[in-house]
Amino acid sequence: MIRAEEVQSNLEPAFPSFVKSLVRSHVASCFWMGLPGSFCRAHLPTVDTTVILQDEREKEYKMKYIAYKTGLSAGWRQFCVAHQLFEGDALVFQLIGSCTFKVYIIRANDLTEVDGALGLLNLDAQIKQNVADSAEMKSAACKSSRRKRPRSLPLSVVQKKNKRSGQLRPSVLQAGQPSEQSENDSEEVGSEVLEGFKLSLPAVHFKDIKSFEDFNILVDGLVLDSELSEDIRNKYYELCCNQNAFLHDNLIKGVNFKLIAGIISETVSIADGMRACTLTTSREKFATWDKALKASELFGMNVGFLRTRLSRLLSLAFDSEGATKTRRYLEARFERVVAADEIKSLEAKLVELEEAYERYGANAERLKSKAEGYDLRFQEQVLAPW
């Protein structure tokens, strides 16, 4: 923090800044970056918006700023993973636009890079001359509602220019504690915060995994186990054992962790489907499985062995001579079942008609004598003299 404040003290004062010491909730667990409330109220919008963080290589990362919580949520995890941030590191945020921050990283375990950051204390004469020449322009920019973007040096360049720094300012040494630490760095930050991930132990080789109890799904230093059910993790472990490797080892960097969990779940589901498929499984189902596996493969997932098996099953089910004969047999057997069902239906209808026939016959015999007597009386009236 002392070195981070040294970096901050040498930034252009026209552009407000603050320092953050990273704690666990920033880089693990819920990935929530709380910003100083007073700074946010003074310089940031009062409604939710998109904030841009620009690193020292001027690569930009967009993320969601939640105004009433004065913190960064969606997108912050990607920034942490991309820059391999850990608890104990410090960041200097410099507001260079209405919603754009320049971020300087001071790592707790990398003194070389920290010394490079401290090189900002001794900018060479040419840099200072450039600043002096543009002072008048900056003064005019400060009066306007829009800020002019400051010119900043990458730490690697500053490090080469500064081999002699090492003196710390007394005022900074006396500070001792992080300045403007946010009061809203709690891990309990509601549904806006992505939960379920945590820092893991150092990466291990699959050959060192002896049982399911030792198996963790580790991606970019984070454990995804809590995002998957135990049943899915168990089946995924069996697939990894089959290949003697983590199937996700070569996933491209920066992929959303929810998406990775979905890819693993889909892989397990397809493997289960392939185990349960029969010769009656449709060609469309095979095509859907292959399309999903191909998409996973594009992300770097090792599912080539499943696609190979799927291709063989598809060939056996539809393209071989044996498959054709078997399919005709299955179709004939199905038609026979349909015909048998129709026979049973007709037999049941016949029984129903026979019962109706007997019922109508009984009624006819019971009414026959009455009908004949009535008809006789009617004929008497017909033939009676006028």
Side-chain angles (χ1 to χ4, degrees):
M1 281 300 299
I2 293 174
R3 295 185 175 217
E5 290 172 348
E6 282 290 299
V7 172
Q8 182 192 22
S9 67
N10 283 272
L11 298 177
E12 298 179 45
F15 302 93
S17 61
F18 62 88
V19 177
K20 290 288 293 186
S21 177
L22 300 184
V23 297
R24 190 169 67 90
S25 62
H26 295 150
V27 296
S29 181
C30 57
F31 285 95
W32 167 259
M33 169 51 73
L35 307 181
S38 58
F39 184 96
C40 295
R41 288 188 290 272
H43 303 289
L44 295 180
T46 58
V47 296
D48 294 358
T49 187
T50 298
V51 166
I52 296 176
L53 299 189
Q54 184 188 96
D55 63 17
E56 292 144 11
R57 295 184 176 87
E58 299 191 350
K59 183 176 181 179
E60 296 184 343
Y61 297 81
K62 294 182 179 181
M63 56 200 65
K64 184 176 182 179
Y65 169 69
I66 304 175
Y68 82 98
K69 293 180 181 177
T70 63
L72 304 178
S73 179
W76 167 249
R77 185 186 73 255
Q78 182 184 4
F79 184 87
C80 288
V81 172
H83 296 85
Q84 298 183 351
L85 300 180
F86 290 95
E87 183 177 358
D89 293 345
L91 303 180
V92 180
F93 290 80
Q94 183 185 27
L95 189 62
I96 62 174
S98 60
C99 293
T100 302
F101 286 96
K102 182 80 172 183
V103 181
Y104 299 90
I105 302 172
I106 294 85
R107 302 187 187 278
N109 62 349
D110 191 344
L111 294 180
T112 301
E113 187 169 345
V114 173
D115 289 339
L118 284 173
L120 289 171
L121 293 170
N122 296 286
L123 299 178
D124 60 53
Q126 183 59 46
I127 299 295
K128 292 181 179 179
Q129 183 62 44
N130 290 342
V131 172
D133 291 341
S134 60
E136 185 173 328
M137 295 177 61
K138 290 178 180 177
S139 177
C142 290
K143 293 178 182 180
S144 64
S145 59
R146 296 180 60 188
R147 292 187 177 92
K148 181 180 177 181
R149 186 189 189 89
R151 184 178 179 209
S152 46
L153 291 174
L155 293 182
S156 58
V157 175
V158 176
Q159 182 181 3
K160 293 179 181 178
K161 292 179 176 291
N162 182 52
K163 296 294 185 180
R164 60 186 182 279
S165 67
Q167 296 294 325
L168 298 179
R169 294 187 179 184
S171 60
V172 177
L173 287 170
Q174 292 171 4
Q177 298 298 326
S179 62
E180 292 192 62
Q181 281 297 330
S182 173
E183 66 277 11
N184 61 356
D185 282 336
S186 168
E187 294 181 29
E188 303 297 331
V189 292
S191 61
E192 294 286 348
V193 179
L194 184 61
E195 298 180 350
F197 303 106
K198 61 182 181 180
L199 283 176
S200 174
L201 297 174
V204 296
H205 296 290
F206 189 81
K207 64 181 180 180
D208 299 324
I209 304 297
K210 304 303 180 183
S211 66
F212 177 67
E213 286 70 24
D214 303 328
F215 180 70
N216 294 112
I217 302 173
L218 187 67
V219 178
D220 290 337
L222 300 175
V223 175
L224 271 66
D225 290 11
S226 60
E227 291 298 305
L228 302 166
S229 68
E230 184 174 355
D231 180 60
I232 290 178
R233 288 191 294 112
N234 208 326
K235 291 178 178 179
Y236 182 61
Y237 170 66
E238 293 175 0
L239 290 174
C240 292
C241 287
N242 181 268
Q243 297 300 300
N244 197 30
F246 292 107
L247 304 188
H248 59 273
D249 254 355
N250 295 317
L251 282 171
I252 59 179
K253 301 297 182 182
V255 177
N256 181 280
F257 287 89
K258 292 285 187 181
L259 177 59
I260 293 175
I263 291 174
I264 292 175
S265 296
E266 183 68 11
T267 300
V268 170
S269 176
I270 292 173
D272 285 346
M274 291 169 61
R275 287 296 192 192
C277 73
T278 65
L279 286 172
T280 60
T281 302
S282 68
R283 186 185 291 269
E284 289 73 20
K285 176 63 73 173
F286 282 102
T288 300
W289 288 341
D290 186 63
K291 185 176 181 180
L293 290 175
K294 183 178 181 180
S296 299
E297 205 168 36
L298 292 175
F299 279 102
M301 195 76 170
N302 177 17
V303 292
F305 69 102
L306 290 177
R307 294 193 69 195
T308 300
R309 174 68 64 85
L310 189 63
S311 176
R312 175 159 178 76
L313 290 175
L314 181 65
S315 176
L316 289 173
F318 293 96
D319 299 334
S320 66
E321 181 180 354
T324 302
K325 292 181 179 179
T326 302
R327 195 165 296 279
R328 272 189 283 183
Y329 159 72
L330 293 174
E331 290 174 355
R333 190 175 68 175
F334 175 75
E335 293 297 334
R336 182 182 180 185
V337 171
V338 171
D341 289 341
E342 290 183 0
I343 290 173
K344 290 180 180 180
S345 177
L346 291 173
E347 287 177 344
K349 185 66 174 177
L350 181 61
V351 170
E352 182 181 342
L353 291 173
E354 288 176 347
E355 290 177 351
Y357 175 80
E358 294 295 333
R359 185 170 61 254
Y360 294 146
N363 287 338
E365 288 297 327
R366 179 170 54 84
L367 297 172
K368 179 178 179 181
S369 59
K370 293 181 180 181
E372 289 177 348
Y374 186 79
D375 183 60
L376 182 60
R377 289 197 302 272
F378 182 77
Q379 290 298 324
E380 289 176 354
Q381 289 298 321
V382 170
L383 299 175
W386 300 108

